[in-house]
Amino acid sequence: MSLKSWKKSSTDVHFDDIDFHDALVERIEVKEREIIVELESVNILPGHPLNPYNVAKNTDRCMLVFRQVLSNEAVRFQEGGIPQSMNCADFKSLEILKFERFEQEETRLFKIFGADDQFCGWEVRAGGFVLHWNEFTGDAWFVGWNENK
């Protein structure tokens, strides 16, 4: 999909209002200064300026673009927790379990912990990211989750 076809875009300025937990990565493309990550969907929390609802909403297929990438390192954890270096584009079915952002002097460090047949980690040092999507498809999976307990 070209960038012109996206209806909504958000930067990592609103990182705390975007929930990547359980997001499925469909494809990763590494370019010279950017990394394009195609995701099945993410959840946009009610505090996000593009979410007009009072509950978290799930998006349709979306694209996460890390901009001004300085480095990226991916590992797959072997038996015994031993990390084995890998190319991030070689993830087959990465499910994001934890996504963190750390502010640094001129850049940000993004840390992803996930599962791709085995537990894995991915660190991207970049100037930031832009998340693109088109529509909200419904409530996030966790909306009302504790109401019946």
Side-chain angles (χ1 to χ4, degrees):
M1 289 184 123
S2 75
L3 295 180
K4 295 176 184 169
S5 66
W6 300 103
K7 294 179 183 174
K8 297 176 177 64
S9 296
S10 179
T11 67
D12 59 287
V13 168
H14 299 288
F15 183 84
D16 292 335
D17 295 318
I18 304 169
D19 173 47
F20 290 92
H21 181 71
D22 289 341
L24 299 175
V25 174
E26 295 181 337
R27 189 173 84 83
I28 298 172
E29 180 182 355
V30 179
K31 295 188 172 189
E32 188 176 327
R33 296 275 290 157
E34 69 181 15
I35 298 175
I36 299 168
V37 183
E38 294 179 19
L39 297 158
E40 183 180 81
S41 68
V42 298
N43 297 306
I44 306 297
L45 302 179
H48 194 287
L50 295 178
N51 182 352
Y53 305 97
N54 62 359
V55 296
K57 291 292 188 177
N58 191 246
T59 69
D60 58 356
R61 190 167 176 258
C62 54
M63 181 182 291
L64 176 70
V65 181
F66 289 105
R67 300 176 305 170
Q68 301 161 341
V69 174
L70 298 174
S71 65
N72 94 87
E73 296 178 22
V75 296
R76 183 174 283 126
F77 295 103
Q78 303 300 317
E79 202 165 310
I82 300 166
Q84 176 186 358
S85 292
M86 63 176 290
N87 185 324
C88 66
D90 291 339
F91 286 123
K92 302 289 184 239
S93 58
L94 176 60
E95 178 180 352
I96 297 172
L97 301 176
K98 187 175 185 178
F99 192 161
E100 299 175 289
R101 177 187 68 170
F102 299 93
E103 294 286 334
Q104 302 194 317
E105 288 180 22
E106 299 287 320
T107 63
R108 291 165 188 83
L109 176 63
F110 298 96
K111 287 187 173 189
I112 294 173
F113 176 76
D116 184 55
D117 296 327
Q118 297 154 290
F119 287 122
C120 53
W122 184 23
E123 292 186 4
V124 178
R125 188 174 311 279
F129 71 65
V130 178
L131 176 70
H132 303 282
W133 76 95
N134 287 318
E135 305 292 336
F136 293 115
T137 60
D139 289 352
W141 65 269
F142 50 83
V143 171
W145 189 65
N146 281 335
E147 290 177 4
N148 296 329
K149 295 189 184 246

